[in-house]
Amino acid sequence: YGFVGVRDRAIGFRDPANLWFYSQYAGVRPGFERRGLGLPLKEFQRRVLLEAFGIGAVVCTYDPLTGVNARRNIHRLGMDVLEYREDTYGAFGGRLNRADLPSDRFFALWDLRRETSRPAFALEPLLEAGADVINASEAEVPGRSGPRRLEIWDGLTLDPAADPCLVRIPADFYEMLRETDTGDERVRRIPLDWRLGTRTAFRTLFQSGYRVIDFLSAPGQPRRNYYVLIKDEPRR
């Protein structure tokens, strides 16, 4: 489900190049998750919009802490993050939001006519060089369904000269939301610390001229997920 909008209201619908499609909802029935259907759905959306409607751009929002969405939208489809939006849906609930957690979102653009092309980044050398701005550790906590080992936010180290830089996010934020939905306030606060900390990281980096260029993962338990950002401003 989605709807057609315009980039520039002064031009309106008079020029097809001024149109974009706001992708509001896309999903599969329960029981069909984790079967690799996300990319085929998006490719079907691309084909219909280009061939039937002549629309070459899609915009959408997604939670920047969800690795499954970041991998598809950024790494596979090549979307560009246009802005960081705080608490996009306010008090609106739903399965993907928790009332005590701000619903921050990336607002992203997908150019349907552009081939996905990413610079070749090797993750390990970047980590060894200290490019990650996020300090995190792992700890076993009493989760909703039993003991769970989760990533804990420890702080932020922003180096304005680092280019590229990495912003780590949790391995599975949806699981983190479910497992920390308990009466233990210290456990319940774990995803909130990630939300507020990464909000500061992304806002600071965007204001300093950085943009998201890729999303990469390092294997392990848990998997380590990283956004790769580069600085558009020329180095002096």
Side-chain angles (χ1 to χ4, degrees), residues 100-114:
D100 61 333
L101 200 75
S103 55
D104 291 15
R105 296 293 186 265
F106 274 164
F107 181 59
L109 170 70
W110 182 21
D111 185 341
L112 302 182
R113 296 188 174 92
R114 186 182 67 193

Side-chain angles (χ1 to χ4, degrees), residues 38-39 42 67-79:
L39 279 173
K42 298 305 290 185
V68 63
N69 290 327
R71 188 170 297 106
R72 179 187 63 242
N73 293 341
I74 304 300
H75 183 72
R76 299 296 295 275
L77 299 179
M79 291 188 184

Side-chain angles (χ1 to χ4, degrees), residues 101-226:
L101 200 75
S103 55
D104 291 15
R105 296 293 186 265
F106 274 164
F107 181 59
L109 170 70
W110 182 21
D111 185 341
L112 302 182
R113 296 188 174 92
R114 186 182 67 193
E115 291 294 326
T116 302
S117 177
R118 295 298 188 193
F121 289 106
L123 189 55
E124 288 305 323
L126 291 175
L127 291 171
E128 291 172 2
D132 186 11
V133 305
I134 306 299
N135 302 316
S137 57
E138 284 117 36
E140 187 173 282
V141 302
R144 184 172 182 174
S145 61
R148 284 290 184 276
R149 191 164 186 81
L150 298 177
E151 295 142 295
I152 308 298
W153 173 271
D154 289 331
L156 186 63
T157 304
L158 286 172
D159 180 359
D163 186 14
C165 69
L166 303 173
V167 176
R168 182 177 177 177
I169 65 169
D172 188 335
F173 192 61
Y174 290 144
E175 180 190 34
M176 180 179 284
L177 287 178
R178 291 191 302 268
E179 291 299 327
T180 59
D181 191 8
T182 73
D184 187 329
E185 287 304 317
R186 292 175 301 174
V187 173
R188 193 172 188 85
R189 186 176 173 84
I190 291 172
L192 179 61
D193 288 339
W194 276 100
R195 173 69 80 215
L196 299 181
T198 52
R199 174 194 288 179
T200 299
F202 284 121
R203 280 205 168 279
T204 302
L205 290 169
F206 289 170
Q207 290 168 4
S208 299
Y210 287 85
R211 63 186 175 92
V212 174
I213 192 65
D214 205 353
F215 182 82
L216 302 173
S217 297
Q221 292 296 331
R223 174 197 297 268
R224 291 173 295 156
N225 289 329
Y226 299 93

